[in-house]
Amino acid sequence: MKVLVAGGAGYIGSHCVRQLLAAGHEPVVLDNFVYGHRAAVPAGVRVHEASLADPAALDRVFAAEKIGVVMHFAAYCYVGESVAEPLKYYLNNAAATYTLLDAMRRNEVKKFVFSSTCATFGVPAKLPLTEDMPQAPINPYGQTKLDVENALRALARAGEFSFAAFRYFNAAGAAEDGSIGEDHEPETHLIPLAIGAALGHRPPLQIFGTDYPTPDGTCLRDYVHIDDLSRAHIAVFDRLAQPGAALFYNLGTGAPTSVREIIAAVEKISGLSVPVKFGPRRAGDPPALFADSTKAQTELGWKPKFQTIGSIVETAWRWHSAHPQGYADR
Ligand code: UDP
């Protein structure tokens, strides 16, 4: 199947492109290269440089390619920035997605896979998180993703359109062969910051809060390997054949891992020590978030290949230690 990957030069999109190729599909990348990296796109994959907010450009892409499914990863992803500059998120993550959906409607492309987030749940009343738990985001990032989820529900109800929305927990790791990986600027995520601190390329890691009601006082998160996430997006294709399908899946390994456990994993794999500083809690961080992914396992036959935090951090280490400056294209 020919698959348009919006944001295909970004962290999650670029890993998905490779998994699509491995599964025998034909990915086509759409990216505006604000955050995407050209080197993250494999040779031979067609790239359209365009903004999702440009309807005429989208029409040109759909006219040039006979697209079967659109996968959408093109979003801003900084929670703190979304609080400081909410309109940036409403325009890019919500409004531009509606422009993309409208272009799909005009061009009669009816299958959509959406990159959503566990941030749509806000602070959960119960753990692990199942798909049917109440969604009450606590920042504009999570809110704009939930807004799109709701628009998708309405679209599926209204006609022939079908979609799957995946709520990721903490996307982590890199391609097993070390060829592509995480490179955000600025970087705010724990694993690359911890590895960078160990390598001496970044300042000591600041641990955000040691007084949480968790076994070691630091936050618990559910880290899931980027290639496992990608495989779920492809496994859902068959189900999108059903017009009106409205599918939601939480994707995580279900294993809560603390900040201190991540540091220990980085130290074990690298053989280096991670210099740390202790800081206050970061605003908007729930103490614990982890997924119940039974639905994805049952309906899609999805089973994360990377079950341990060590196996995930090992792939991240391989990428970051070989590419300390990331793609070095900024
Ligand atoms: N974290 C930390 N120091 C950092 C970055 C993150 O202690 O410099 C913690 C953060 O408070 C959270 C966990 O690491 O509990 C994962 O944070 P990250 O930003 O990687 O992902 P998030 O859970 O915010 O999506």
Side-chain angles (χ1 to χ4, degrees), residues 71 91 94 108 166:
M71 288 186 173
L91 286 171
E108 297 190 9
F166 290 103

Side-chain angles (χ1 to χ4, degrees), residues 170 188-190 193 205-208 219 221 223 259 282 285:
N170 288 56
T188 61
H189 294 111
L190 178 62
L193 291 180
L205 178 76
Q206 186 165 158
I207 299 181
F208 296 144
C219 285
R221 292 289 179 275
Y223 298 86
V259 174
R282 184 171 67 176
D285 269 346

